[in-house]
Amino acid sequence: MTTHVTKLSGAHWVRRFDSSSNTRDLSGMFRYAVEDFIAAMTAAGIKVSVSATYRPLKRSYLMHWSWRIVNDGIDPSSIPSVPGVDIEWVHPTTAASVNAAREMVEALSIRRLRTKPALRSQHNAGLAVDMSICWRGAVSIKDATGALVQIKTGPRTGMNKQLIEVGATYGVKKYYDGIKDVPHWSNNGR
Ligand SMILES: [Zn+2]
């Protein structure tokens, strides 16, 4: 049956539950905190590229389980179903199931993630942002109090300790668990 084919896991599932990469889709005051922080970075000559803001819960489900099939060797037949996601994780062969999950991991841009994506995250509430950040040389950036902070230390990325402190003054907190989720910032560091 053709309906069965469309239910089978694979990259086509990724487009059904799109996430946003626009800061306008963030919630309440967190949106303005992120926009102010990004504006301060941009004014300092720091290059910022936002890859995700709001993410539907159903996309988090696809991320979690496809990543776990590929990286944890989870048996696809043991994956619980959720309402509204009529996906069939089990293909005729184990190799086909794993290949389809790998396609999804690629399409979801989570191949380099070193920890399993959470089933629920601050993204689902519009309270997290993923961004890649880089610069050259030394930069001076305004924190939320208006004080100018000169950053001479490395790395020249979102993992920079001084930049993380500046972000916190805006209410944008770096992910608590270090390099396990490099681009992730949120309202509470989770
Ligand atoms: Zn994130």
Side-chain angles (χ1 to χ4, degrees), residues 3 14 16 23 33 50 58 67 69 73 78 83 90 110 136 156 163 166-167 170:
T3 50
V14 170
R16 296 192 192 181
T23 56
V50 175
K58 290 168 182 172
W67 192 95
I69 290 171
S78 72
V90 182
I110 54 172
R136 289 168 183 273
R156 294 187 182 97
L163 185 72
V166 170
Y170 287 91

Side-chain angles (χ1 to χ4, degrees), residues 52 55 121 123 128-130 181 183-185:
R55 175 182 304 142
S121 85
H123 285 289
V129 57
D130 293 342
D181 196 351
H184 187 89
W185 301 68

Side-chain angles (χ1 to χ4, degrees), residues 7-70:
K7 278 170 70 168
L8 277 174
S9 64
H12 63 285
W13 272 96
V14 170
R15 292 189 300 271
R16 296 192 192 181
F17 309 111
D18 258 334
S19 58
S20 169
S21 59
N22 196 314
T23 56
R24 273 179 304 200
D25 294 315
L26 293 170
S27 297
M29 294 308 291
F30 185 67
R31 168 190 169 180
Y32 302 106
V34 169
E35 289 177 351
D36 287 351
F37 180 37
I38 290 175
M41 287 193 282
T42 304
I46 296 173
K47 215 178 125 202
V48 182
S49 170
V50 175
S51 60
T53 55
Y54 168 73
R55 175 182 304 142
L57 202 52
K58 290 168 182 172
R59 191 177 181 89
S60 293
Y61 168 83
L62 298 179
M63 290 169 69
H64 180 88
W65 292 110
S66 60
W67 192 95
R68 293 198 67 187
I69 290 171
V70 173

